[in-house]
């Protein structure tokens, strides 16, 4: 039976203009989803939009429209982006949907039912940009930030429902201890543990000073706090509470991918809500780092926000996907720059992979009438390529399971370099000249077989390029119908397949 695998990205604030930071989490999710599908799992990959809250209500009012009108108008910016970037999400959830309202009400009532919600008064600070309540300790941190980067905060005093977060301090710490891989990378896990050890105060989970949200069941003067509402999206999309049969199959999520800025919500509040509601906890929360642009924080006021549509148009979708996951170890912060992306295109993509594909197929075209040849007996140098290929397949699988995308890509590109070196050393052009036909066809066959393996390996990262290589080698069935383990089965390319060299995959980039 197929194993279920549930991967999520955050749901993005619907009125945000998508930038490369947003694209980053979703592309990472797509790599995992595609990889797991190739492994034969039944994948459920979720993304969507977060549409309630004070920030969206204000933006809409300032534009003279209803919040739902605003949301309906701008949601396509995200939906279209995922299509453009070849994202294979199975569902796109909007928190304004009826199915979600039901889920939020249900979970609120469950938590209330066990006595973890009480009515009180919140007096303190609120950060509207991040929709976050600011505790006394955080207030000091906020005040220590340079003024230009400090999100504006407002004093709030209003009646509010509270969630008994304090009650879950010990259960959470116990859970982290028993599940050391729950929060990753491990340095983030330590940060969260220290935060929880520092003491948890009950959390305000409703607001009364605006109305754009899901009303508290039984007290519609209150709307539910947008983070309580948003986190529940992961349950809604899995079928909660309407289709519990499906829910029980899909939930818990195998991995929530998030940026480091929203780790606390996912690794502290979210598991506490679930514990209270008596629902299983997600298996893993992975927090990635933040992108700066040409050394600076990306911000609207600096005018340096990088538009993923433009990057994809200029350099290509696969180049963009490759760059984001290759440039920095997933988890750490990194910097985006045109120079860096161009460097990767001209180096690893044009010279590395592109060159290997075009020279290998070029020689099959020239010496074998564009047909994959029959090979003769393999010599040690050919066997070496086979062994390195099998090793690489294992390394890549290990790295993706660790969510270490850069390691996976490094392993693939090390293999590409080895194969390029094998071409130089076996010099098929001299073999042709000196009439060593058996050696020549064996080398060319080995190259075609290497390209097949490379196509499978790069598929989760660069699906379009992988399929292009696949077609160029003339493999009859679509790549997606293959299993990841086929990458290990050396010897699958068949003599007689018609190759099609076509255009270069990655032409060298010349900046105007
Ligand atoms: N709506 C909430 C998430 C709710 S999930 C239940 C939210 N949305 S967001 O649109 O502001 O951010 C979504 C994701 O984009 C977060 O994971 C965040 O870390 C990521 N990024 C936003 N800016 C980023 C960078 N500059 N770099 C990398 N990722 C960044 O938070």
């Amino acid at each position: 039976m197929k194993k279920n695998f549930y991967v999520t990205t955050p749901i993005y604030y619907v009125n945000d203009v998508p930038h490369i930071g947003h694209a980053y989490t979703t592309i990472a999710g797509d790599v995992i989803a595609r990889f797991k599908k190739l492994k034969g799992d039944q994948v459920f990959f979720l993304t969507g939009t977060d549409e309630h809250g004070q920030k969206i209500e204000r933006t809409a009012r300032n534009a003279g429209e209803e919040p739902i009108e605003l949301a309906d108008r701008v949601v396509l910016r995200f939906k279209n982006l995922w299509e453009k970037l070849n994202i294979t999400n199975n569902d796109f959830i909007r928190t304004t949907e009826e199915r979600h309202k039901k889920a939020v009400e249900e979970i609120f009532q469950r938590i209330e039912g066990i006595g973890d919600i009480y009515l009180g008064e919140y007096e303190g600070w609120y950060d509207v940009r991040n929709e976050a309540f600011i505790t006394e300790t955080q207030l000091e941190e906020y005040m220590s930030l340079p003024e230009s980067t400090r999100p504006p905060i407002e004093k709030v005093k209003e009646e509010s429902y509270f969630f008994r977060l304090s009650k879950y301090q010990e259960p959470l710490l116990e859970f982290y201890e028993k599940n050391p891989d729950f929060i990753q990378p491990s340095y983030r896990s330590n940060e969260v543990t220290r935060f929880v050890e520092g003491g948890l105060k009950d959390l305000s989970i409703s607001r009364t000073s605006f109305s754009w949200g899901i009303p508290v069941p039984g007290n519609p003067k209150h709307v539910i706090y947008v983070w309580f509402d948003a986190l529940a999206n992961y349950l809604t999309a899995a079928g909660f509470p309407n289709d519990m049969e499906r829910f029980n199959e899909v939930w818990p999520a195998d991995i929530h991918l998030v940026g480091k800025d929203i780790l606390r919500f996912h690794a502290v509040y979210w598991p506490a809500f679930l514990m209270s509601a008596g629902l299983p906890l997600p298996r893993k929360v992975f927090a990635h780092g933040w992108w700066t642009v040409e050394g600076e924080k990306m911000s609207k006021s600096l005018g340096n926000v990088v538009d993923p549509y433009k990057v994809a148009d200029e350099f290509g979708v696969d180049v963009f996907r490759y760059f984001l996951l290759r440039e920095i170890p997933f988890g750490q912060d990194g910097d985006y720059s045109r120079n860096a992306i161009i460097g990767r295109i001209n180096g690893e993509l044009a010279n590395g992979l592109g060159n290997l594909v075009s020279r290998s197929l070029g020689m099959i075209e020239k010496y074998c009438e564009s047909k994959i040849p029959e090979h003769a007996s393999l010599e040690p140098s050919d066997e070496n390529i086979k062994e390195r290929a099998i090793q690489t397949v294992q390394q890549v699988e290990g790295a993706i399971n660790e969510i270490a995308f850069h390691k996976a890509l490094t392993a693939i590109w090390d293999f590409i370099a080895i194969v390029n070196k094998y071409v130089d050393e076996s010099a098929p052009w001299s073999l042709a000249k000196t009439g060593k036909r058996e050696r020549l066809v064996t080398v060319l066959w080995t190259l075609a077989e290497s390209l097949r393996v490379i196509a499978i390996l790069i598929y989760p990262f660069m699906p379009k390029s992988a399929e292009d290589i696949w077609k160029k080698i003339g493999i009859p069935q679509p790549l997606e119908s293959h299993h990841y383990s086929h990458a290990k089965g050396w010897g699958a390319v068949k003599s007689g397949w018609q190759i099609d060299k076509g255009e270069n995959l990655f032409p060298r980039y010349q900046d105007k």
Side-chain angles (χ1 to χ4, degrees), residues 10-13 16 19 21-22 25 50 227 230-231 233-234 258-259 261-262 266 288-291 298:
I11 47 172
Y12 301 92
Y13 289 124
D16 278 5
H19 57 59
H22 302 126
T25 328
D50 190 352
W227 268 101
L231 287 161
N233 90 86
Y234 304 128
V258 299
D261 55 318
I262 58 172
H266 284 82
H288 65 67
W290 265 50
W291 285 92
M298 207 174 1

Side-chain angles (χ1 to χ4, degrees), residues 77-178:
R77 290 181 194 152
F78 282 100
K79 278 196 168 162
N80 292 346
L81 180 62
W82 305 147
E83 211 166 289
K84 182 168 183 90
L85 297 180
N86 256 324
I87 303 298
T88 54
N89 54 302
N90 311 82
D91 193 356
F92 185 98
I93 187 167
R94 299 182 58 184
T95 54
T96 45
E97 288 168 324
E98 199 50 39
R99 59 171 173 161
H100 181 62
K101 185 168 176 240
K102 280 194 82 175
V104 172
E105 286 168 352
E106 172 71 22
I107 187 157
F108 190 98
Q109 281 167 326
R110 281 199 187 190
I111 294 177
E112 194 174 32
I114 78 138
D116 278 347
I117 290 178
Y118 61 91
L119 192 60
E121 184 180 56
Y122 177 79
E123 186 173 3
W125 296 90
Y126 194 76
D127 163 0
V128 180
R129 190 187 296 167
N130 294 307
E131 298 281 11
F133 294 97
I134 308 300
T135 62
E136 288 303 318
T137 20
Q138 285 164 336
L139 191 61
E140 273 172 37
E141 274 171 44
Y142 264 68
M143 290 312 171
S144 66
L145 292 173
E147 216 173 325
S148 58
T149 64
R150 200 188 300 159
I153 55 175
E154 298 172 10
K155 192 96 201 200
V156 171
K157 184 173 182 205
E158 58 192 44
E159 186 183 87
S160 178
Y161 283 96
F162 284 83
F163 169 69
R164 289 188 203 283
L165 184 63
S166 54
K167 179 175 152 189
Y168 291 93
Q169 177 169 348
E170 284 313 314
L172 281 169
L173 290 171
E174 241 170 69
F175 179 77
Y176 302 150
E177 198 175 334
K178 279 204 194 119

Side-chain angles (χ1 to χ4, degrees), residues 36-49:
K36 290 288 175 185
K37 249 180 261 170
L38 269 194
K39 289 285 298 174
D41 290 353
Q42 183 84 44
V43 173
F44 182 48
F45 171 25
L46 177 69
T47 187
T49 40

